[in-house]
Amino acid sequence: MNTQTKVTKQVSPFFAFFIVTVMQVGVGIFTLPRTMIVDAGHDGWIAILFSAVLISIIIRIIYATLNKGETIVTIQCKVFGKKLGSFISLFWVFLF
């Protein structure tokens, strides 16, 4: 008994990677409220509110910095110094 799967019913390995990744992230996101209630009790909403405010502030700082016409490389050189900033910028070179 030789049964072949139709090509139209298969998922490519490229898309299989994303399916597995999305499933793992989805399970993590859906179990977060339960984990937070167990650990923090009913005051867990304060941590969520506090982290949302901090993330909003960080995003505003990033937009303000990037709107000045600076690049990630120049920002890293300003923050970390010329040598260390250039070394850290190699990550972006290899990434792109």
Side-chain angles (χ1 to χ4, degrees):
M1 196 162 155
N2 190 4
T3 60
Q4 295 288 331
T5 306
K6 292 184 179 183
V7 177
T8 59
K9 303 283 186 189
Q10 294 178 348
V11 176
S12 70
F14 179 74
F15 290 125
F17 167 76
F18 289 105
I19 291 172
V20 171
T21 304
V22 166
M23 290 300 296
Q24 290 176 344
V25 171
V27 167
I29 289 172
F30 288 135
T31 59
L32 177 67
R34 181 191 163 279
T35 307
M36 188 172 294
I37 289 295
V38 169
D39 292 339
H42 292 289
D43 293 333
W45 65 273
I46 297 171
I48 293 174
L49 188 63
F50 185 69
S51 63
V53 168
L54 283 179
I55 289 173
S56 296
I57 290 171
I58 290 170
I59 289 174
R60 286 191 182 268
I61 290 171
I62 290 171
Y63 277 132
T65 306
L66 291 176
N67 278 336
K68 292 180 183 177
E70 297 179 352
T71 63
I72 294 174
V73 175
T74 57
I75 293 170
Q76 287 178 344
C77 287
K78 279 184 178 180
V79 172
F80 299 113
K82 186 174 181 180
K83 289 184 182 181
L84 184 60
S86 298
F87 180 73
I88 294 173
S89 297
L90 286 175
F91 169 76
W92 301 112
V93 170
F94 289 122
L95 180 69
F96 292 114

